[in-house]
Amino acid sequence: GGAAVPTLTEAGRALLLRRAADSLLDKVVYYSRQRRSAAFCEKAAQTISELKSAGVTPEMLSEYAKTPGADREKLDELALIYNAYEGLLAQSAMDPGDRQQRAAERLDAEFHFDAVCAVCAPYRTAFALEAAAIRGKKFLWQLDPYASNRDYTAPGGFAREGQLLDALDGTFVTPQALPDYADGAPLAPWREKVHVLGFPTLLPRVMEPVEHDDIQCVFCGSLHPGMREPGFALALFRALHDDAVTLTMAGGGWERFAAVRPGVQGALGHKQKPQCVHISNVHAGLLPPDEAAALENRADVLVSLGNTYDNQMPSKLFGYFATGKPVLHLAVSENDPTLPYLARYPLALVLHRKDGVTPGTVAKLHSWLHNVQGHALPFAQTARLYPEFTPEKVAEEFLKWL
């Protein structure tokens, strides 16, 4: 969107930032010595970009500067520069951070949508929709929470989320987000705008049998310190001492777990037989979808690592269910939100980190792996177990609230 309006480059943003600071003359005191510095202009432009992506306007930043403990002089002047930057921008060009808002406005003008829905996270799209001047209704689909997200500190917290909800006609959330809207909770005033909606991820997957001698257990996904860690899985499979079992863990985030890697294998990608742990495709970044699909297709058992956060549930679990394959879930939280869904799945085994890697736990895992090898549920049976996650049911619920 916005092809008719020139979009600023990084250098162009820094130059416009300098013009904005210069236009304020003696109103800039705190930054008076730095404002003509290229390094300052680049850094300030980057800061404004981050503020825009979080939906923070110059007015909001100015209000925040008045709060106790805030660096008032510094933030006040940054708010002034930000406001002047936005004024100059409106006359000449478009900031890259505004492309989504402009695209929504252009598409609405062309097609006259009845409703527009932003899917989050990240929340840049939500804030773009909030600011967009469109005639249709505005909805948000929060697959991850904003203010109560424990991965980061959301700018503005619950007050900012409430402001966002004020601009919307409704929002779709997971069941795990409902406590934020309970009586006395921070988002209780917006409870009437909230509707629970499942992930539309339960789709039939064609699994092509691949001949192999061992029982292949596969985890595909990203690792995050404090949220999703490999330690419990590695400890369990090391303790098996079963040459017939292989664990493959693939995906990004391993650079943050250097301490566990020597105990797995000095040279990544090779089997370590008596401990039977095989680490493959360990790299930073996302695993390409075709590689992940190939690994999951080959697997006898799919491994799910539980989150430590009980207000976020990985949608990937339902992709696992869609294969019909056995699922091993390793829970680390007492209130793991996936447990009620795993209880419905007849080919699931849940082991809890709090129980430790005991001989009894290891024996249970060993017996289960050998018993479920080669078993699978037909997709029709899985769909009956989780109708609320089929695209048809999700679409029906979605349209009901528009």
Side-chain angles (χ1 to χ4, degrees):
V5 182
T7 301
L8 289 177
T9 61
E10 292 297 319
R13 288 166 64 182
L15 181 61
L16 193 67
L17 192 289
R18 179 173 172 175
R19 287 178 53 201
D22 286 345
S23 72
L24 294 168
L25 302 174
D26 58 357
K27 292 181 181 178
V28 176
V29 178
Y30 186 89
Y31 291 117
S32 60
R33 298 180 64 180
Q34 302 107 303
R35 70 184 189 185
R36 300 188 68 81
S37 156
F40 166 75
C41 292
E42 290 171 6
K43 181 64 177 175
Q46 180 184 349
T47 299
I48 287 174
S49 175
E50 292 170 358
L51 290 168
K52 288 168 77 73
S53 70
V56 177
T57 64
E59 295 76 18
M60 291 166 61
L61 183 61
S62 181
E63 285 300 310
Y64 178 74
K66 300 172 185 176
T67 60
D71 193 337
R72 181 164 186 170
E73 185 180 9
K74 180 178 179 180
L75 293 178
D76 261 338
E77 289 198 4
L78 183 58
L80 284 173
I81 294 171
Y82 183 7
N83 191 58
Y85 173 88
E86 290 289 280
L88 291 173
L89 189 68
Q91 301 170 24
S92 57
M94 179 170 63
D95 188 282
D98 296 329
R99 290 187 68 84
Q100 290 176 322
Q101 177 188 336
R102 297 286 182 88
E105 292 170 345
R106 180 180 62 80
L107 290 169
D108 179 70
E110 184 176 353
F111 297 104
H112 311 299
F113 294 116
D114 294 314
V116 177
C117 182
V119 181
C120 307
Y123 274 79
R124 180 187 289 269
T125 345
F127 297 126
L129 180 60
E130 175 190 30
I134 62 174
R135 287 167 290 183
K137 293 181 178 180
K138 298 179 179 182
F139 287 87
L140 187 62
W141 195 344
Q142 295 178 272
L143 300 183
D144 289 312
Y146 179 71
S148 60
N149 195 315
R150 298 171 197 169
D151 282 344
Y152 59 86
T153 301
F158 285 109
R160 180 66 186 96
E161 188 165 1
Q163 186 178 31
L164 174 62
L165 291 170
D166 278 335
L168 302 173
D169 294 280
T171 185
F172 301 102
V173 300
T174 66
Q176 294 73 43
L178 288 178
D180 290 340
Y181 296 88
D183 289 341
L187 299 178
W190 294 275
R191 186 187 308 158
E192 296 303 315
K193 290 192 172 186
V194 172
H195 316 292
V196 172
L197 197 62
F199 303 120
T201 53
L202 200 63
L203 295 162
R205 295 178 62 176
V206 178
M207 295 287 112
E208 300 289 346
V210 178
E211 292 293 329
H212 49 265
D213 297 329
D214 52 354
I215 300 173
Q216 297 198 1
C217 305
V218 170
F219 165 79
C220 292
S222 299
L223 303 175
H224 303 277
M227 177 185 176
R228 188 181 305 118
E229 302 186 350
F232 184 36
L234 296 177
L236 277 170
F237 280 85
R238 286 191 195 118
L240 275 175
H241 299 294
D242 185 344
D243 286 350
V245 178
T246 297
L247 170 66
T248 299
M249 303 186 78
W254 281 93
E255 69 279 2
R256 305 183 188 97
F257 295 95
V260 302
R261 282 159 63 168
V264 175
Q265 178 63 38
L268 297 176
H270 296 166
K271 291 184 180 180
Q272 177 178 324
K273 288 269 187 205
Q275 294 180 337
C276 306
V277 176
H278 175 204
I279 304 293
S280 69
N281 294 322
V282 175
H283 58 80
L286 297 176
L287 188 69
D290 57 337
E291 292 183 29
L295 283 171
E296 292 172 1
N297 178 72
R298 187 180 181 87
D300 297 291
V301 172
L302 296 170
V303 179
S304 167
L305 302 187
N307 290 349
T308 55
Y309 307 151
D310 56 17
N311 66 342
Q312 290 177 262
M313 182 172 66
S315 59
K316 185 176 186 64
L317 183 66
F318 299 94
Y320 276 4
F321 291 159
T323 68
K325 294 188 175 189
V327 174
L328 171 64
H329 182 75
L330 304 178
V332 297
S333 165
E334 288 287 335
N335 300 310
D336 187 326
T338 65
L339 297 182
Y341 301 102
L342 285 155
R344 297 188 217 170
Y345 195 69
L347 293 179
L349 174 66
V350 177
L351 298 177
H352 296 265
R353 186 175 63 181
K354 66 180 177 61
D355 296 333
V357 184
T358 65
T361 300
V362 174
K364 184 176 183 179
L365 174 60
H366 179 275
S367 174
W368 180 80
L369 288 173
H370 285 268
N371 287 337
V372 298
Q373 184 183 19
H375 290 246
L377 291 185
F379 179 77
Q381 182 179 348
T382 306
R384 287 194 297 271
L385 293 172
Y386 308 99
E388 70 272 38
F389 292 94
T390 60
E392 297 83 1
K393 184 63 176 177
V394 173
E396 180 185 321
E397 284 296 307
F398 181 86
L399 292 172
K400 184 168 75 175
W401 295 108
L402 293 187

